[in-house]
Structures are given as C-alpha cells and as structure tokens.
Amino acid sequence: EAQVTQNPRYLITVTGKKLTVTCSQNMNHEYMSWYRQDPGLGLRQIYYSMNVEVTDKGDVPEGYKVSRKEKRNFPLILESPSPNQTSLYFCASRRTGQGNSQPQHFGDGTRLSIL
Amino acid sequence: DQQVKQNSPSLSVQEGRISILNCDYTNSMFDYFLWYKKYPAEGPTFLISISSIKDKNEDGRFTVFLNKSAKHLSLHIVPSQPGDSAVYFCAARHSGNTPLVFGKGTRLSVIA
C-alpha cells in the first residue's frame, strides 16, 4: 500500500530536549516536505526537499532541521524544542516531473506538545 | 502576506444540496491549484486539481472552477453527503516544482 508514515504519532516532551520525527514514503517520490498545522493558520511549510541531499527552507523553518540522506526518508529534527513548536506536523511526498500536476500525499500527522 | 485565502472558516449545508467552497489567490504566477480534504486525526487527502489552462475540472460529485481574471477558484460538491463533512484546504503553486501554498481551510458540515 502506497503511504507516507510518520513516527511518533503523539509526543509530549519538555523544552530543550532534542527530538526527531521520522517520515518515510514507499512510493519512490523525489519531493518530500514538512508542514505544521496550527489553529487559524492552516498548513505552513517548514522545509522541503527536491531530492536526496537537496533541502530548502519553507515559510517557517526557524527552530527546525531536516536531512535527506535517502530518497525514502525525511526526518524532522528539533534540536532544542520550545513551547511555540507545539503543533500538529505533517510530512508529505510527491513525484516531480510530468509537468506540474503531481498532488502531494500526506502522512497521518504527529502531534507534538512541548512543555 | 497570505497568497491563498479561504475567507469562510466554516460552512453548513443540508444533505443533498450543493456545497460551494471558495478560494482566492493573489500570486498571478500560480498555475496549478488543488483541493485537499482533511478528517480529524488523519492527514489531508488529495481531492481534485486544476491547471491554469482549464477553467473547469470535474470528478464525480466534485467540480473545481477556476476564474483566472478574478484569481478565484471554487469547489462544488453536489449532492453533499454527511461523509463530506471535513476541513477543505485550497492550495496553489507555480511551475518549477515550487512548494505548495495552502489556505487556512474551511470546515464543511453536511447536516442530515
């Protein structure tokens, strides 16, 4: 089954304790991205990656890091989490090429609470 | 500066009637538009899209209309069903594999 898998689905942690949210896709997609969803703000992009070893900042990259060492994985790293990073996070992937008409496939989300 | 705007946070429609969700954009470079549907505790799922070379795209009960001169698109659902109750996000991007820009979403409630 084609899917984007995020782990963990839920995490409560404390300020300053480094954490990583993993994202894996089994569709051989080149493009992957991370979003956060906050009430009244919709989905905002944090980082994206066009392919292996190619990453770029989205709209709200501060406080986050990513890496793309393999095509299928795109972890989101919070080196020193703070309470304003409490949010619902989504990973997504899609094909590139074939023009512009490739929709993104989303994971089921990771709810992070930073105390 | 919000490039994709969904000005209605919520919409209630009776079962069997038409639901119309609206979206406005400001960036004239956008040439590909999508609608996503999101249920609680799940990720957004792709619903329907339209390229800027078209003004209408239809898929079953779902139709998307694009008015480029007004920088406006709309999603029509007819007939609406209770299972359509969800948050709907409008999104857009321009060519060159650029990132998607999302609106804030509209919560649709279809009342039986």
Side-chain angles (χ1 to χ4, degrees), chain B residues 8-59:
Chain B
S8 299
S10 62
L11 175 68
S12 286
V13 173
Q14 271 200 311
E15 181 179 7
R17 307 294 286 267
I18 185 171
S19 296
I20 300 176
L21 296 99
N22 293 303
C23 178
D24 297 295
Y25 62 97
T26 57
N27 189 338
S28 57
M29 298 291 290
F30 287 148
D31 58 7
Y32 183 56
F33 306 88
L34 308 90
W35 284 94
Y36 282 84
K37 175 179 177 179
K38 185 183 179 305
Y39 292 119
E42 294 183 12
T45 54
F46 170 70
L47 195 56
I48 193 169
S49 64
I50 189 167
S51 162
S52 60
I53 61 172
K54 294 185 175 182
D55 54 20
K56 177 182 174 182
N57 188 26
E58 194 171 351
D59 184 3

Side-chain angles (χ1 to χ4, degrees), chain A residues 40 45 50 94 100 102 104 107, chain B residues 31 36 43 93 99-100 104:
Chain A
Q45 191 177 57
M50 298 292 290
R94 65 173 172 87
N100 205 15
Q102 298 298 318
Q104 292 192 78
Chain B
D31 58 7
Y36 282 84
R93 68 171 181 257
L100 264 181
K104 293 183 180 180

Side-chain angles (χ1 to χ4, degrees), chain B residues 87-109:
Chain B
V87 177
Y88 289 78
F89 290 99
C90 171
R93 68 171 181 257
H94 54 83
S95 56
N97 287 312
T98 54
L100 264 181
V101 179
F102 282 85
K104 293 183 180 180
T106 297
R107 182 177 299 278
L108 174 66
S109 299

Side-chain angles (χ1 to χ4, degrees), chain A residues 30-47:
Chain A
E30 295 86 4
Y31 182 98
M32 297 184 75
S33 60
W34 277 102
Y35 296 84
R36 59 179 287 174
Q37 184 188 5
D38 301 290
L41 296 176
L43 286 157
R44 295 180 294 166
Q45 191 177 57
I46 303 169
Y47 268 95

